[in-house]
Amino acid sequence: MKMRAAVCVRPGGPEVLEVREVPVPAVRPGWSLVDVRGAGMNRSELRTRQGHSPTVTFPRVLGIECVGVLAESTDPALAEGTTVAAVMGELGRQFDGGYAEYALVPNALLMPVETTLPWPVLAALPETFMTAQGALDTLGLQPGDRLLIRGGTSSVGMAAASLAAAQGVETAATTRRASKAAALTTDHAVVDDGSSVAAGVRAFWPSGPDHVLDLVGASTAVDSLNLVRRGGTVCVAGSLSGWVIPDLEPIATIPSGTKLTAFHSDTVRGNAAVLRRIVAAVESGGCPSHLDRVFALDDIVAAHRAMEADAGTGKFVVVP
């Protein structure tokens, strides 16, 4: 039995993604076959495609998340036909991922969910919203707190803003493009044009934010530590600018009493309860999905080009 998949044949530009006919993965104990109906796209896949993931070997079907229906289940608790989502746990890295018609997934990653949401909307939620919720939980937000989101027009940034607002938190967000500022749903917007983000933020929060959720990462984390109020918290949960902070000197860099932490979405893999909460919030209209656009599998090269050009505001989804 054959299926279509977008195979990353080697590290390189978007053109190294080739849609091919390949065998459907054979089910084995502890793993189940998902009939994929949609896969959210993530910048980590872009970086893997570019060759920045040394543990990933090629050829590889990328895609660290997917949603769909169980086509063949080895989990006695999950019947065939169950709607499921899966995210992280080396999906699309150590084994083939969601850019395909079928994905073979470890049972521990499967998250069953009942929903009336269309497949592309459901596909926009798992990685993005579970990362956002996990990062906000790591920060320990309280109603009335002030939260700055750096990288606010990324899919995780937009999800975090919606979730924080629902908790009664005052929010602000940065974007590098003035043309995208109107898409921010935060209380305040700051255009990060390479000058002083601090000046823009302190115009409305003179003492700085209580918390910073830094989705830009390596290039802005140190600046975020100097921007947050003394004793506040910076959580790095994104890698839009890369994964490494060169020459970090903790004692010299982190102001006394200020906290630097991080969140990785692998922490919430397999947590169906968190996903169900998010799905219920989107179904009720209380939280937008921030789905930007949907690409067909055949358009995966164009999708990666758009992601690499930072052409979206929100989440890209690919459907087989």
Side-chain angles (χ1 to χ4, degrees):
M1 185 175 170
K2 298 284 189 177
M3 70 173 187
R4 297 171 71 251
V7 182
C8 186
V9 296
R10 62 184 178 278
E15 68 281 354
V16 302
L17 294 165
E18 298 181 3
V19 179
R20 296 179 172 180
E21 194 171 79
V22 298
V24 172
V27 174
R28 60 184 186 268
W31 297 62
S32 294
L33 188 66
V34 178
D35 179 351
V36 176
R37 305 298 176 86
M41 297 179 60
N42 301 278
R43 292 190 71 88
S44 66
E45 295 147 10
L46 182 154
R47 293 184 61 78
T48 295
R49 189 212 75 217
Q50 292 171 332
H52 300 300
S53 298
T55 62
V56 175
T57 58
F58 300 94
R60 173 66 67 218
V61 177
L62 303 182
I64 64 170
E65 63 177 317
C66 65
V67 299
V69 174
L70 279 178
E72 190 172 343
S73 176
T74 66
D75 187 335
L78 297 177
E80 293 172 7
T82 300
T83 296
V84 294
V87 62
M88 296 299 293
E90 294 303 320
L91 180 66
R93 294 174 55 81
Q94 294 305 306
F95 53 92
D96 287 341
Y99 291 9
E101 292 180 321
Y102 291 89
L104 187 66
V105 178
N107 291 341
L109 297 186
L110 296 173
M111 296 178 288
V113 59
E114 294 183 7
T115 179
T116 58
L117 295 174
W119 288 114
V121 175
L122 180 62
L125 304 181
E127 168 69 8
T128 292
F129 275 83
M130 293 178 75
T131 298
Q133 186 63 68
L136 296 181
D137 290 345
T138 298
L139 284 168
L141 300 181
Q142 298 295 322
D145 281 355
R146 299 164 300 182
L147 170 69
L148 174 66
I149 301 167
R150 303 195 73 157
T153 52
S154 67
S155 57
V156 175
M158 297 182 79
S162 296
L163 293 169
Q167 292 179 232
V169 171
E170 186 179 355
T171 59
T174 68
T175 177
R176 290 182 300 164
R177 299 186 182 182
S179 60
K180 289 189 174 184
L184 294 170
T185 58
T186 48
D187 299 298
H188 312 281
V190 179
V191 177
D192 185 356
D193 59 4
S195 55
S196 176
V197 169
V201 172
R202 292 203 165 99
F204 49 85
W205 290 336
S207 61
D210 300 302
H211 310 280
V212 177
L213 174 56
D214 198 324
L215 302 171
V216 179
S219 69
T220 56
V222 172
D223 186 57
S224 293
L225 285 166
N226 291 311
L227 177 57
V228 73
R229 68 163 174 81
R230 183 63 66 93
T233 304
V234 175
C235 177
V236 178
S239 59
L240 296 175
S241 64
W243 290 323
V244 178
I245 303 174
D247 304 319
L248 177 66
E249 299 180 37
I251 293 176
T253 302
I254 305 173
S256 296
T258 298
K259 294 172 280 294
L260 173 63
T261 187
F263 178 79
H264 192 285
S265 55
D266 210 34
T267 306
V268 292
R269 71 182 188 272
N271 194 327
V274 173
L275 179 60
R276 289 176 192 140
R277 255 174 48 214
I278 292 163
V279 168
V282 175
E283 283 181 332
S284 70
C287 191
S289 69
H290 300 297
L291 173 63
D292 182 291
R293 69 188 81 168
V294 180
F295 292 88
L297 189 63
D298 284 331
D299 296 325
I300 193 66
V301 171
H304 264 245
R305 283 187 178 133
M307 185 162 55
E308 200 158 15
D310 196 22
T313 303
K315 187 77 169 183
F316 288 176
V317 166
V318 60
V319 294

